[in-house]
């Protein structure tokens, strides 16, 4: 069997409805069993429509997050929680402030740590994920360097949560939000590739033409530490949820078999990669 599956949607909005449906089924089925659902969450512009949809499901369709535990992929080093560009602030602004998830269930690496405590903090993050039973569902975006989390080129497949140096391209991509590249942190703490690949289900999201080339490289290029998203090729339960533009460099799209373009309804086509 070949994986991951590639799911091409008419738009990001249609894709996130599908994804939010899958996540809410997980949460509800776990709640019915009196169990927690463990989500791995991502930042960046890409998952924003997903978070809007989850908030909508909470407000208007009674989806409770009381039995959800979350672990974010990463955090910038040197940013306090209160910094508007911290991922802690981002996640609260776009998701946590609008749902009923207890604050004690929310986990992000800390960006403010004395040098001597960094290794122990990273090891504890790993232990917390393990103690929660591992990640049920990991949501990912993809960076310009092909990174997942902040696993920049050179990140080993078995890497764990650790401090990393940010690639120049990653810092340039973030420079507008920070008001200049000089303001962008040079380091971050990220879950490792190994940590991410242990998730039982992974969905990578990508929208727009800017992502087309790197999505192609991740799916069709060699497995390499230079593109950490390429490691997903070996994960048995990963899907790439793409809009048409992000899928536009994949050779079998938009119309040739076995890939199918998508209309609504049905809402999606999932095909083996
Ligand atoms: C940052 C995050 C990644 C994210 C990437 C892409 O680097 N650490 O997790 O996937 O940005 O961001 P965007 O979704 O804004 O393109």
């Amino acid at each position: 069997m070949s994986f991951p599956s590639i799911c091409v949607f008419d738009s990001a909005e249609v894709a996130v409805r599908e994804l939010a449906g899958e996540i809410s089924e997980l949460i509800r089925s776990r709640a019915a069993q009196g169990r927690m659902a463990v989500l791995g969450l991502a930042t960046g512009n890409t998952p924003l429509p997903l978070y809007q949809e989850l908030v909508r499901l909470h407000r208007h369709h009674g989806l409770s997050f009381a039995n959800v535990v979350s672990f974010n992929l990463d955090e910038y080093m040197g940013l306090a929680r209160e910094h508007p560009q911290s991922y802690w602030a981002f996640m609260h602004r776009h998701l946590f402030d609008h749902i009923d998830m207890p604050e004690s269930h929310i986990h992000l690496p800390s960006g403010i740590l004395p040098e001597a405590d960094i290794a122990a903090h990273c090891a504890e993050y790993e232990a917390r994920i393990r103690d929660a039973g591992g990640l049920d569902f990991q949501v990912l975006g993809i960076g310009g360097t092909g990174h997942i989390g902040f696993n920049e080129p050179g990140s080993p497949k078995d890497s764990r949560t650790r401090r990393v140096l940010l690639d120049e391209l990653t810092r340039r991509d973030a420079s507008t939000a920070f008001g200049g590249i000089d303001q962008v942190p040079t380091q971050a703490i990220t879950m490792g590739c190994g940590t991410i690949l242990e998730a039982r289900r992974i969905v990578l999201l990508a929208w727009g033409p800017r992502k087309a080339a790197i999505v192609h490289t991740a799916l069709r290029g060699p497995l390499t530490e230079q593109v950490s998203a390429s490691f997903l090729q070996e994960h048995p339960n990963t899907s790439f949820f793409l809009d048409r533009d992000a899928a536009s460099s994949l050779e079998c799209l938009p119309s040739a078999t076995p890939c199918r373009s998508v209309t609504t309804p049905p809402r999606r086509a999932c095909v083996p990669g």
Side-chain angles (χ1 to χ4, degrees):
M1 183 188 168
S2 67
F3 16 75
S5 67
I6 303 167
C7 310
V8 186
F9 298 83
D10 282 338
S11 66
E13 288 64 36
V14 179
V16 300
R17 275 209 294 282
E18 179 80 17
L19 177 56
E22 193 178 332
I23 292 173
S24 62
E25 267 173 40
L26 169 72
I27 296 171
R28 286 190 161 118
S29 71
R30 286 295 167 79
Q33 300 161 10
R35 294 172 60 200
M36 307 300 285
V38 184
L39 304 184
L41 299 177
T43 48
N45 291 319
T46 306
L48 284 178
L50 170 67
Y51 297 150
Q52 278 166 18
E53 178 62 9
L54 291 174
V55 170
R56 192 185 71 81
L57 292 176
H58 171 65
R59 284 195 182 140
H60 302 297
H61 295 272
L63 177 64
S64 172
F65 290 78
N67 68 316
V68 173
V69 174
S70 74
F71 291 89
N72 262 81
L73 285 165
D74 42 22
E75 181 59 282
Y76 288 111
M77 288 293 291
L79 299 193
R81 288 178 164 189
E82 301 71 34
H83 190 291
Q85 295 305 325
S86 80
Y87 284 161
W88 192 95
F90 175 99
M91 289 305 301
H92 282 75
R93 196 157 62 236
H94 294 293
L95 183 64
F96 300 143
D97 285 349
H98 312 289
I99 58 177
D100 63 340
M101 202 168 140
E103 190 67 33
S104 61
H105 292 190
I106 294 169
H107 303 89
L108 287 95
S110 170
I112 297 285
L113 289 167
E115 187 70 27
D117 294 350
I118 292 174
H121 179 74
C122 294
E124 193 190 324
Y125 204 68
E126 290 279 332
R128 284 188 180 215
I129 294 172
R130 263 198 316 277
D131 292 349
L135 299 167
D136 289 309
F137 202 113
Q138 177 67 57
V139 177
L140 295 175
I142 184 167
T145 61
H147 67 217
I148 48 177
F150 270 135
N151 288 286
E152 298 287 29
S155 296
K157 188 178 172 204
D158 60 359
S159 50
R160 312 305 307 192
T161 301
R162 69 204 186 287
R163 177 178 30 179
V164 289
L165 279 177
L166 296 178
D167 192 275
E168 202 52 30
L169 175 60
T170 301
R171 294 185 64 236
R172 238 184 296 135
D173 285 346
S175 61
T176 310
F178 277 87
I181 192 158
D182 294 348
Q183 308 299 312
V184 183
T186 55
Q187 300 182 7
I189 290 182
T190 184
M191 273 189 207
C193 298
T195 324
I196 294 168
L197 291 168
E198 281 171 7
R200 287 180 277 277
R201 166 90 171 121
I202 299 176
V203 175
L204 184 146
L205 308 174
W207 328 125
R210 215 169 51 86
K211 299 284 170 136
I214 196 64
V215 163
H216 180 270
T217 302
L219 280 167
R220 301 293 186 235
L223 261 76
T224 168
E225 292 184 358
Q226 295 310 304
V227 179
S228 59
S230 69
F231 295 137
L232 297 169
Q233 290 177 29
E234 286 193 333
H235 188 274
N237 193 14
T238 288
S239 298
F240 278 51
F241 276 28
L242 311 172
D243 69 3
R244 288 171 184 280
D245 285 337
S248 60
S249 292
L250 297 172
E251 63 284 354
C252 59
L253 296 169
S255 54
T257 52
C259 295
R260 286 176 291 140
S261 57
V262 188
T263 49
T264 319
R267 289 187 298 170
R268 65 167 178 165
C270 281
V271 295

